[in-house]
Amino acid sequence: MIGEIITIGNEIISGETQDLNAWYAAGRLTRAGLRVKRMTMVGDDPEMVTLVLRQAKHSSEFVIVTGGLGSTDDDITNEVVALALERPLCIHQEMLKKIKKIAHKRNIPVTNSLLKMAYMPSGSQLISEKGVACGFYLIEEGVPFYFLPGIPEQMRYLLDNFVLTDILNRFQVKDVRVFKLIRTYGLTEPEIAEAFRKKRALEESVIFGFYPQFPENHITITANGEDSSKVQELVEEAQKEVLGILKEHVFSVDNEELEEVVGRLLKEKGLTLSTAESCTGGLVSHRLTNVAGSSEYYLGGVVAYSNHLKESLLGVTPQTLDTFGAVSMETVKEMAEGIRKITGSDLAVAISGIAGPSGGTKEKPVGTVCLGFSSKDLSEARTYRFFGSRIQVKQNSAAMALDWIRRYLCGYPVLPGV
Amino acid sequence: MIGEIITIGNEIISGETQDLNAWYAAGRLTRAGLRVKRMTMVGDDPEMVTLVLRQAKHSSEFVIVTGGLGSTDDDITNEVVALALERPLCIHQEMLKKIKKIAHKRNIPVTNSLLKMAYMPSGSQLISEKGVACGFYLIEEGVPFYFLPGIPEQMRYLLDNFVLTDILNRFQVKDVRVFKLIRTYGLTEPEIAEAFRKKRALEESVIFGFYPQFPENHITITANGEDSSKVQELVEEAQKEVLGILKEHVFSVDNEELEEVVGRLLKEKGLTLSTAESCTGGLVSHRLTNVAGSSEYYLGGVVAYSNHLKESLLGVTPQTLDTFGAVSMETVKEMAEGIRKITGSDLAVAISGIAGPSGGTKEKPVGTVCLGFSSKDLSEARTYRFFGSRIQVKQNSAAMALDWIRRYLCGYPVLPGV
């Protein structure tokens, strides 16, 4: 089944807002074995909306439209759909009831701008699964059109809980699509391309994709077919080959983020972790604590942005700071040992570097970052050089710190420094 | 001048990758006074690419196409353009020279996949401003088509350094567009809509946009015209009215992030800041340190994820933790006072809450977050209730903490708690 996605909103075509709705919907549809052949974004512009709706009607088997369903004046979807598909606006009784009920519950008057939302193109069916989130659909010459709100949470909820199932049921989709996302850290895209060129003898029936996702590199494997177990098998074989090529640089094949992998490994081994961050400014601990249940293994950390805090909180000696500087292997070693002692954690990682844009010197240019690791048996430090903006240096340093933990826990060597 | 943007790539329509190129190009074109009326994404699919190229030729004054220019097999743009616009592929001598030169410099053989890139639709002109980044353009019945690589850095570089200027010169654009982005925190979208409905008597010649940008709400003001100073004036008047309506909830009118506003205010007043975070896990310090030069006013902080660290590092008393719990106004007050003493900062903020998805109780459900503030003269705490996912609770809590600092520094009351 081949469909398309249309996004309506001036904020999208003016570049003010990124259209995450089309991206999300495309991903969900594709994973479900459906195909998206076009995504189109137009403004709150009746002429363009009419044009793309009519084009879609003639070339797609299903159409998902997001945006323009709200109560403010720039929300024009209902009216334009009525004109474009020649279905006069009528009061939708079920919607009217809903609006009155909510207004009553919240003790607010039923204003005209609320009432506006009850006028819908004739033949519309409500999509409304939870409280206020509300869209509608209609069948136009056999093609289902789904109209969803532009607010990402609402749109995602209705897509996942109604639209996807409705499309799959309606068309009795049989084709299975197996998709695998392999995430790597530590190799550049040309290095990955080179590694594949040398060794690749992979099945033609699977499709590979290569996507830099800063600071990681992702590889996708996709296969389609009616025989689910055969498709699954093909993808698994391809995955094995990829692992053979990229080895320990692969950190995840099960849609896990790096911080989730680290968390899982720590839990498996019953170990705890703490962090001492300077240039990453808390990004490592932020990522670690994005994982539900991270308090089981992550005890906490210090963001020692000033030298004073590196001394007073982490116990880095003034001699070390004077002799080697805040960005040095000696300092990060002491930072890691310091935070491990304070927190009583099994492992600790420390980061100090020059995120830029200023602060670089000839010996230590912007992007110079030192990483330190401490456990009962081991104390180690290395210096890396990262490139890009301040934020990119922070991102790369934080990813490297998480990857160090992963490599230690798996018994892999850490990446070589400069 | 009205144009459109086309993105080519299977990774886009399958939802694997977000299309940041179209978003970036749309923003740059709009700011330059041009208008984008449609953005279209299609796969590496000759039929669809042909269709959208031909549609664009008949409906736009300029067309920007990104993606599919590389050397791998899924890069089909050159071939499809040749077919769609009926311009046979020829060896482009300048491009061939470039390729040979680069191969020579890097000491790599001139393989067929490299040579492939020298075959271009007849009449193509190279766009090549820096090293390897390379695109081309051609004029089709008076409409310029610009073909740019899909790698964001290269695409952005060529757009900014060639395409924008070329379009502006070609069409001698005179219209000026003034755009203002007003950012607010602390009001919901319905509250903003209501406030505007009551008081709005604004110029019809400016366009307002309302965009929830979790956890903030943004308002845009746009005006067009040939008289630059008049357009500027209109927007400034509208901005004054918006400030009159939304008052201290507006934190930025100059494209500053909340952490940049906080940083600027701290620098202006010569004050320093430290943080004690539990449920936000370092997100507040991460945001603060995203700002270049933040080490001037941000001393650092503690991520006290465990109760042990709240006691041992921040000096929260066991009695407080026992009696009131880790998520309590008493605890966050002591956390804020503790980190202020340790770091010697002028101000400190502390956050402790239940980010979820588990850990909630009847009295303290998921999303309950306590904020504490400490300065020489003031110690204050409040409890808030946030909704949404774990990440959203973290984001809202971190934004509230930054907003507290802003409000204290501006003399505004902080938002009421539960």
Side-chain angles (χ1 to χ4, degrees):
Chain A
M1 300 314 303
I2 299 179
E4 64 187 278
I5 303 166
I6 297 168
T7 309
I8 302 174
N10 284 338
E11 76 278 19
I12 305 295
I13 54 156
S14 64
E16 281 150 36
T17 303
Q18 288 173 20
D19 180 18
L20 300 181
N21 284 338
W23 163 74
Y24 183 83
R28 301 293 288 170
L29 292 162
T30 309
R31 305 285 170 95
L34 302 160
R35 237 187 77 199
V36 176
K37 72 168 181 183
R38 178 166 56 188
M39 288 147 69
T40 313
M41 289 97 206
V42 292
D44 304 321
D45 167 353
E47 202 184 313
M48 285 305 293
V49 175
T50 303
L51 178 72
V52 297
L53 284 176
R54 288 190 179 157
Q55 280 178 351
K57 185 168 101 175
H58 295 299
S59 58
S60 278
E61 289 162 295
F62 63 88
V63 182
I64 294 173
V65 183
T66 72
L69 290 191
S71 58
T72 51
D73 290 348
D74 53 359
D75 294 313
I76 57 160
T77 299
N78 290 21
E79 284 159 60
V80 176
V81 171
L83 285 171
L85 303 182
E86 291 168 18
R87 289 163 174 263
L89 282 183
C90 320
I91 283 266
H92 194 290
Q93 292 303 332
E94 200 186 333
M95 185 66 176
L96 183 64
K97 252 193 223 163
K98 256 187 174 302
I99 290 171
K100 284 185 174 166
K101 201 174 151 192
I102 290 166
H104 179 75
K105 209 170 153 188
R106 299 193 180 176
N107 198 21
I108 52 173
V110 180
T111 56
N112 279 342
S113 50
L114 276 180
L115 278 183
K116 173 177 180 274
M117 295 163 73
Y119 282 89
M120 305 177 91
S122 67
S124 299
Q125 306 275 328
L126 277 197
I127 311 173
S128 156
E129 295 279 309
K130 192 173 119 183
V132 195
C134 209
F136 65 94
Y137 74 98
L138 42 83
I139 312 294
E140 183 68 22
E141 295 174 24
V143 178
F145 279 73
Y146 303 91
F147 296 91
L148 303 177
I151 296 174
E153 291 73 30
Q154 296 182 7
M155 181 268 165
R156 290 177 185 197
Y157 185 83
L158 295 178
L159 184 86
D160 289 346
N161 288 283
F162 178 84
V163 178
L164 269 177
T165 331
D166 194 65
I167 297 175
L168 294 174
N169 287 342
R170 204 173 282 276
F171 298 111
Q172 303 188 304
V173 174
K174 283 207 193 84
D175 230 28
V176 173
R177 181 176 182 274
V178 177
F179 172 86
K180 202 82 188 176
L181 177 63
I182 297 180
R183 302 176 195 222
T184 73
Y185 180 77
L187 291 174
T188 63
E189 207 198 10
E191 283 169 343
I192 290 175
E194 193 62 20
F196 268 74
R197 213 168 292 133
K198 277 185 191 155
K199 298 194 185 166
R200 185 168 161 190
L202 301 161
E203 277 282 354
E204 285 220 345
S205 40
V206 300
I207 302 165
F208 288 87
F210 300 89
Y211 306 110
Q213 186 75 38
F214 187 85
E216 302 168 4
N217 273 290
H218 294 179
I219 293 113
T220 59
I221 307 171
T222 319
N224 281 297
E226 282 209 9
D227 183 342
S228 163
S229 64
K230 204 180 153 193
V231 174
Q232 189 69 45
E233 206 175 288
L234 277 175
V235 171
E236 270 166 30
E237 266 171 47
Q239 178 183 321
K240 258 187 224 159
E241 290 209 58
V242 172
L243 289 174
I245 295 170
L246 302 178
K247 299 199 174 66
E248 77 274 11
H249 301 294
V250 173
F251 67 82
S252 145
V253 295
D254 290 312
N255 212 22
E256 281 181 312
E257 299 284 347
L258 195 41
E259 55 267 34
E260 291 176 302
V261 176
V262 168
R264 179 172 48 74
L265 292 168
L266 286 167
K267 268 202 284 193
E268 278 169 19
K269 294 182 190 281
L271 296 172
T272 55
L273 174 69
S274 62
T275 54
E277 303 184 57
S278 184
C279 72
T280 46
L283 179 54
V284 177
S285 59
H286 169 49
R287 286 190 63 176
L288 284 165
T289 58
N290 277 347
V291 182
S294 46
S295 55
E296 268 185 63
Y297 49 81
Y298 180 61
L299 303 183
V302 163
V303 178
Y305 224 53
S306 66
N307 275 354
H308 167 66
L309 278 195
K310 290 187 184 79
E311 289 179 30
S312 65
L313 262 184
L314 295 172
V316 179
T317 63
Q319 292 82 341
T320 302
L321 286 170
D322 280 351
T323 317
F324 304 103
V327 179
S328 66
M329 296 202 268
E330 290 76 11
T331 296
V332 287
K333 267 192 189 179
E334 293 186 20
M335 286 170 68
E337 280 158 24
I339 194 69
R340 192 168 67 81
K341 275 185 205 145
I342 295 167
T343 61
S345 67
D346 299 302
L347 313 176
V349 67
I351 309 105
S352 183
I354 300 148
S358 62
T361 64
K362 213 176 158 188
E363 289 74 37
K364 293 177 186 174
V366 167
T368 302
V369 176
C370 296
L371 252 79
F373 175 86
S374 169
S375 70
K376 212 173 61 179
D377 319 310
L378 188 67
S379 170
E380 196 180 349
R382 288 196 190 186
T383 303
Y384 294 95
R385 174 81 196 279
F386 299 121
F387 297 90
S389 66
R390 177 181 181 85
I391 310 282
Q392 285 177 320
V393 171
K394 284 181 74 176
Q395 287 173 333
N396 223 331
S397 308
M400 183 66 87
L402 292 172
D403 199 48
W404 266 41
I405 308 287
R406 177 184 72 89
R407 286 169 186 260
Y408 278 109
L409 293 172
C410 293
Y412 302 134
V414 298
L415 288 164
V418 289
Chain B
M1 299 313 305
I2 299 179
E4 65 186 278
I5 303 165
I6 296 168
T7 310
I8 302 173
N10 283 339
E11 75 278 21
I12 305 295
I13 54 156
S14 64
E16 281 151 34
T17 303
Q18 288 172 18
D19 179 17
L20 300 181
N21 285 337
W23 163 73
Y24 182 83
R28 301 292 289 169
L29 292 162
T30 309
R31 303 287 168 95
L34 301 160
R35 237 187 77 201
V36 176
K37 71 168 181 183
R38 179 167 54 188
M39 286 147 70
T40 312
M41 288 98 206
V42 292
D44 305 321
D45 167 353
E47 201 183 315
M48 285 306 292
V49 175
T50 303
L51 177 72
V52 297
L53 285 176
R54 288 190 180 158
Q55 279 177 351
K57 185 168 102 178
H58 295 299
S59 58
S60 278
E61 289 162 296
F62 63 88
V63 183
I64 293 173
V65 184
T66 73
L69 290 191
S71 58
T72 51
D73 289 348
D74 52 359
D75 294 313
I76 58 159
T77 301
N78 290 20
E79 283 159 60
V80 176
V81 172
L83 286 171
L85 304 182
E86 291 168 17
R87 289 163 172 264
L89 281 183
C90 319
I91 283 267
H92 194 289
Q93 291 303 332
E94 200 186 333
M95 186 65 174
L96 183 64
K97 252 192 224 166
K98 255 185 176 303
I99 290 171
K100 286 186 173 166
K101 203 173 149 191
I102 290 168
H104 180 76
K105 210 170 153 189
R106 300 192 179 178
N107 199 21
I108 53 172
V110 180
T111 56
N112 280 343
S113 51
L114 277 182
L115 277 183
K116 173 176 180 275
M117 295 164 71
Y119 283 88
M120 304 178 91
S122 68
S124 299
Q125 306 275 326
L126 278 196
I127 311 173
S128 156
E129 295 278 309
K130 193 173 119 184
V132 194
C134 210
F136 65 92
Y137 73 96
L138 42 83
I139 313 294
E140 183 69 21
E141 295 175 24
V143 179
F145 278 72
Y146 302 91
F147 296 91
L148 303 177
I151 296 173
E153 291 72 30
Q154 295 181 9
M155 181 269 166
R156 289 177 186 198
Y157 185 84
L158 295 177
L159 184 86
D160 289 347
N161 289 282
F162 178 82
V163 177
L164 269 178
T165 330
D166 193 65
I167 297 175
L168 294 174
N169 287 342
R170 202 173 283 277
F171 298 110
Q172 302 187 303
V173 174
K174 283 205 194 85
D175 233 27
V176 174
R177 182 176 181 274
V178 177
F179 171 85
K180 202 81 189 177
L181 177 64
I182 296 179
R183 301 175 195 224
T184 72
Y185 179 77
L187 291 174
T188 63
E189 207 198 12
E191 284 169 340
I192 290 175
E194 195 61 20
F196 268 75
R197 214 167 290 134
K198 277 188 192 152
K199 299 197 184 164
R200 187 167 161 192
L202 300 160
E203 277 284 353
E204 286 221 341
S205 40
V206 300
I207 301 165
F208 288 87
F210 299 89
Y211 306 111
Q213 185 77 39
F214 187 85
E216 302 169 5
N217 272 291
H218 294 179
I219 293 115
T220 60
I221 307 171
T222 318
N224 282 296
E226 282 209 6
D227 183 343
S228 162
S229 64
K230 205 180 152 192
V231 174
Q232 189 68 46
E233 207 174 287
L234 276 174
V235 171
E236 271 165 29
E237 266 169 47
Q239 178 184 320
K240 260 187 224 160
E241 290 208 59
V242 173
L243 289 173
I245 294 170
L246 302 178
K247 300 199 175 65
E248 78 274 10
H249 301 294
V250 172
F251 67 81
S252 143
V253 295
D254 291 311
N255 212 22
E256 281 180 311
E257 300 284 347
L258 195 42
E259 55 267 35
E260 291 176 303
V261 175
V262 167
R264 180 172 48 72
L265 291 168
L266 287 167
K267 267 202 285 193
E268 278 170 17
K269 294 182 191 280
L271 297 171
T272 56
L273 175 69
S274 62
T275 54
E277 304 184 57
S278 183
C279 71
T280 46
L283 179 53
V284 177
S285 59
H286 170 47
R287 287 190 62 175
L288 284 165
T289 59
N290 277 347
V291 182
S294 45
S295 56
E296 269 183 61
Y297 49 81
Y298 179 61
L299 303 183
V302 164
V303 178
Y305 224 52
S306 66
N307 275 354
H308 167 66
L309 278 195
K310 290 187 185 78
E311 289 178 29
S312 66
L313 263 184
L314 295 172
V316 178
T317 63
Q319 292 82 338
T320 302
L321 286 170
D322 280 351
T323 317
F324 304 103
V327 179
S328 67
M329 296 203 267
E330 290 75 9
T331 296
V332 287
K333 267 193 190 179
E334 291 186 21
M335 285 170 70
E337 279 158 26
I339 194 69
R340 193 167 67 80
K341 276 186 203 145
I342 294 166
T343 62
S345 68
D346 300 302
L347 313 177
V349 68
I351 308 105
S352 183
I354 301 148
S358 62
T361 63
K362 212 177 160 188
E363 289 74 36
K364 293 177 185 175
V366 167
T368 302
V369 176
C370 296
L371 252 78
F373 175 87
S374 168
S375 70
K376 213 173 60 181
D377 319 310
L378 187 67
S379 171
E380 197 180 348
R382 290 197 189 185
T383 303
Y384 295 95
R385 174 81 195 278
F386 299 121
F387 297 91
S389 67
R390 177 180 180 86
I391 310 281
Q392 286 177 320
V393 171
K394 284 182 74 176
Q395 287 173 334
N396 224 333
S397 308
M400 183 66 88
L402 292 172
D403 199 48
W404 266 41
I405 308 288
R406 177 185 72 89
R407 287 169 185 260
Y408 278 109
L409 293 172
C410 293
Y412 302 134
V414 299
L415 288 164
V418 289

